[in-house]
Structures are given as C-alpha cells and as structure tokens.
Amino acid sequence: MTGSVADRQEALRQRFAPWTPVTLHGALDAAAEAFGDQPFVITDDHSWSYDAIVAWSWRVANGLRNAGVKTGDKVAIILANYAEFVVLKFAISRIGAIAVPINIMNRRDELRYLLEQSDSAMLVTMDRFRDVDYLDILDQIAPDWATKAGGSTLPALRNIFIFPTGEGEARHGVHLFADLDASSTHPLAVLDVSPQSDCDIIYTSGTTGSPKGVLLTHDMLTRTAFGSAYARAFAPGHRIVFSLPMFHVYGYVEGLLSVLWVGGAIIIQRRFDARDTLDAIVRHRASDALLIPAMTLAIIDAARAQHYDLSSLHFALSSGARAPERIWQEMREVLGVREITTGYGMTEATASTTVTRPDDPTERLLTTNGRMRDVGPAGDAALSNRLVTYEVVDQESGAILPHGAVGELVAYGPGITRGYYKKPEATAAAFTADGWLKTGDLGRIDADGYITLSGRSKESYRCGGEQILPVEVEDLLVSHPTVLQAHIVPIPDERMGEVGVAFIIPRSGATVDTEDLRTFVSERLARYKVPRHFIVASESDIPTTASGRARKFLLAKQALKLLELS
C-alpha cells in the first residue's frame, strides 16, 4: 500500500476525470488495454488475465448469439462464484442482453417464479451445488426441458445450458456451457450498446412477499463500481478475496466490478470457510477482503488458533448486518488490517451508498453506517459528487427532518433504480411523489453526512447479509396441516446479525413437530430463510393490536426471554 487516502483518490481522479459513461464490457475492454497481462480472476486452480477474460467473453458472446439470444433478451444465471460467471456477465453485456442472476439457494417454487416473472429466454445453470439438484428441480418445473426448454410451463424460455460442477450426475443430450464457448465460428460484430440500457435484473424480496426484479443499467453499475474503488482509495493491483456471491450486488459491484479501474484482481471462493479464506490471502497475496460480520468473526477466531502470514492484507470491508463492537479492534489486532470500512446499501441503490472513510477513527465504525459516498468524477456535481443522496423524513407527513432526528431514510440520485421489472404498482409504492426511494429503514443523518441506522419500518430482517421477509415463510408455514398461525420475528445473533424465531399456533387437535416444520421449510425455501428457532404457542400468548395484528416488537422481546430460559 502506497500513499495516503487522499493521494490514492487523486490518482483515480486524474485518470478518470471527466467521467465518460461506459458499458460493463466497455469497462472491461478499457481495463484490458491498460492492464492486459495482469491477473483479473484468480481461483485456487487457475488465474486469468484481463486479456484472457476479454477473449473468453467474446467467444461466449458469439455462442449466445448463435443460440438465438437477441439484444434485450433476458439470460438467467444460476452459478456460484466460478470464473464462468464472470465471463458470462461480460458476454451478455456485449450482445446487449440483460442478465438475471439468481440466488443459488433458491428452491423449486422460487426458481419457477423468477424464470417466469423475468421472461428469461435462456437459462445457464449448474447441475448441482451442495444439496441443491438443479436438474431435478428442472424436471419438476418443466419435465421435457432437455429437449423443449421451458415448454408450455415457461414458454419464454427457449434454451437451457448446463454447467457441470462435478457434483451432479451427467445427463446425456443436454446443452452444456462449453457449447457456448465452442460454437463461435463466426466472429461477432461489435454492437452499439448504450450505457443507459438495462444490464441486470437483480431480484430482492419485497413488501408483498414476492421477489421484485430491480432494474440496473450499465451506467449505474459502472459508476457505482468506480465509486467503490474511489471511496476506498484503491491503489494499482488491488486484490480482493471474497466468497460473497456475485449474484448479489455486494460481491458483484464491490468485488468483481470495482477492481477494473485499477487493474486489480478478484480471488473468488465458492464456499465460505474461515481457514480457506486465510489460506487464500496467504497464497494469492490478497490485499483486501469483502466480508459480513459473521465471516469476520469466524476469520478472527481461525487466525487466533493458527498463525498465518497476513502481511499483504491492508484493507477490509465488513458490512451487511449488525456487528458486535469488538469486531473492529480485533480486525486490527488479530488480522493486521489497517484500513477498515463499513457501509450501508441496497439493491435498489445499485450497491453501497454510504461508507466510512478508510482513515476514519474507530468511533465512526462503532457509531455509524458510513457517510454518503463521494464517488469523485463518477458522481453528480449537483449531489456533491455522489450517486445517491439521503434525507430523513417523518413517516406520517413526509416532511424532511433536521440533522440528528430519527425518521425514514429516503434516497435520490442516478444510482437509484427506476423501478421493478413488470411491477408498476410496487414501483409506484416504492417512491415518493417527487421521486425519492423509500428505503423502509429508520435512521438519522449527522451534520457530516454520516448515517446511523436505528431499525426498520418494514418487518424484514437480515440473516448473514441476506434479506428475509417473514410473510413469505409465514405463508408457507400456515399451509402445513398442523399450523393455524405463524409469526416470525428476528432476534440479534452475534455471527449472523439476526436470526428468525417462529411462533407456531397449532390447529385445533393437531400436534406440532417443530423438526418436521423445519424440514418442511428447508425443502421449499432457501436455507437462510429457515427460522433458527421454533416456539409452539397458544393464541393468547401472541400480543396483538386492536385490529388483531401481532405486535411483533413485543413478540421479539418474548422470544429473547423464552430462549434465555431454555
């Protein structure tokens, strides 16, 4: 690490001012021109240079075209952190198509909904990953998928390509990802893709309980990614290790796309393991790590138990959930990290929109969620060089509140999505009359622009950085023959930030088996949505409003008391 934060930011400003809007693949190509032979994607098995990724992405772009993908088509992706994910993203960008990255933990019903709602024309999926058999899921969704793709179930889905992970059983006669790479016999002409066109539809849970596809443009993604490099003052050759999935904006924007501007590299891992992460830092000389608090705590514990040469690790971003106060000092003492940042963001705002400065005092890490991010030349001069600015408003009147007052955070700027795919009512509900995004988060802003979150106006919570909407799980639980009512509340958890507690009221005469309910949910929804605790209760145990709605903040207090006594 060389130079002060200010010096490193000035070097980036000199290279990229004035800002020129750019597409995703345009940013890659520009990076390759400057850093062609330098490593860009690193795994434990292989390393690819910028030039290699550019060439590979052209071949796959040709393969996509030959398979019938047209400009504006949606291409769904179910891939863990493989190099093929990186290549596919840039290939989709080259032909002006739109990527639909899907959470790899989704199960049958979730996957069917996302493929249908997104109008995906192609699906590229792993055959199996961990305990999820995607081919078996496809068999259930569209039984003739190997020959008829989506068939009558998903008529928009014209092609399915399989990426073998080595964990699944081979299927004969199916299209493989390698076919996309090998099928490009005719070079693809350079297409005129606008930076203002849609690049991604990334799904997030909404207030209705069904996922909503957030529309993100090339310009939003590339400007936000540069803003990450600028706000955290990346130096040339910055190397980030992470297992956070690239199908979410954290790993995608703060990881993959952020290093393009300095010729850096991503060291990608498909599963999180604290010792594997530490080994990767040592082996590949990682200078930075993207983490959530649960990961950070595990890495600290592992580093205490065994010596690792972490002399290359200067930076870390630990965000996405509540963090115990001890975490920041232990990152310095145990891991040797010099510049620690934390922040706040959401998919609708492209990625992180607030972040502490790398040279901020520890007090800022302890008491805030970062300040509104200055992204230098990529920002809007009218917004003090930000892509997103915030105000705090009164929830009832909508009036802007003064510094230090707690209210709902609303956001505005070129980093904010224009809405949700094919959900006009949800889009309208998400914005104020004058175009500010209602985040649903409660907080305050101080005079220096630092934000401190104080709660959520919505009932959603985050477990290990993943957002969970209780109503989705509650609706599933009440479909079980033994369950009359289900009420889910979050409680704090040191490693996961928050975990769910499900209060179950049995149907008359029924006996509830909590382990059976746990299995029932885990077979149908992603693992992170499964409540940690199940408590069988009676209707009289549930505090309610005059209209009969559960008072969940009181229920959460009950949960803490009951679990302390158990």
Side-chain angles (χ1 to χ4, degrees), residues 440-454:
D441 289 314
L442 301 176
R444 64 181 183 273
I445 303 175
D446 68 18
D448 296 319
Y450 283 82
I451 288 178
T452 301
L453 299 178
S454 57

Side-chain angles (χ1 to χ4, degrees), residues 318-516:
S318 185
S319 189
R322 303 182 190 210
E325 290 188 3
R326 66 182 176 88
I327 199 172
W328 312 116
Q329 191 60 33
E330 291 183 358
M331 288 174 74
R332 290 193 170 97
E333 293 175 352
V334 179
L335 305 180
V337 178
R338 302 180 197 176
E339 295 184 5
I340 304 170
T341 49
T342 191
Y344 161 69
M346 56 197 305
T347 308
E348 288 89 340
T350 312
S352 295
T353 49
T354 75
V355 69
T356 52
R357 281 184 58 86
D359 51 3
D360 269 344
T362 302
E363 182 66 18
R364 293 292 195 187
L365 294 166
L366 290 169
T367 61
T368 79
N369 297 91
R371 72 173 183 175
M372 287 179 267
R373 181 182 264 179
D374 176 356
V375 300
D380 186 332
L383 300 179
S384 302
N385 296 325
R386 300 168 184 152
L387 288 175
V388 175
T389 192
Y390 285 91
E391 295 282 7
V392 173
V393 300
D394 182 270
Q395 286 185 278
E396 296 296 327
S397 67
I400 296 175
L401 299 176
H403 290 148
V406 174
E408 183 178 8
L409 291 164
V410 292
Y412 180 83
I416 298 294
T417 181
R418 72 176 187 278
Y420 304 109
Y421 182 67
K422 286 174 48 180
K423 286 187 177 285
E425 293 181 0
T427 298
F431 290 88
T432 65
D434 52 354
W436 287 68
L437 176 72
K438 294 181 282 188
T439 68
D441 289 314
L442 301 176
R444 64 181 183 273
I445 303 175
D446 68 18
D448 296 319
Y450 283 82
I451 288 178
T452 301
L453 299 178
S454 57
R456 295 186 176 91
S457 61
K458 302 174 184 176
E459 293 179 350
S460 62
Y461 64 97
R462 289 187 180 274
C463 178
E466 295 279 0
Q467 187 181 39
I468 297 153
L469 196 73
V471 68
E472 180 185 18
V473 189
E474 291 165 349
D475 287 347
L476 175 61
L477 282 167
V478 297
S479 72
H480 192 278
T482 67
V483 177
L484 176 66
Q485 295 179 28
H487 304 283
I488 297 175
V489 294
I491 60 171
D493 182 81
E494 183 175 74
R495 291 196 177 273
M496 302 307 293
E498 295 169 301
V499 295
V501 179
F503 283 82
I504 304 297
I505 299 174
R507 291 181 183 272
S508 178
T511 300
V512 169
D513 182 334
T514 56
E515 286 307 308
D516 179 53

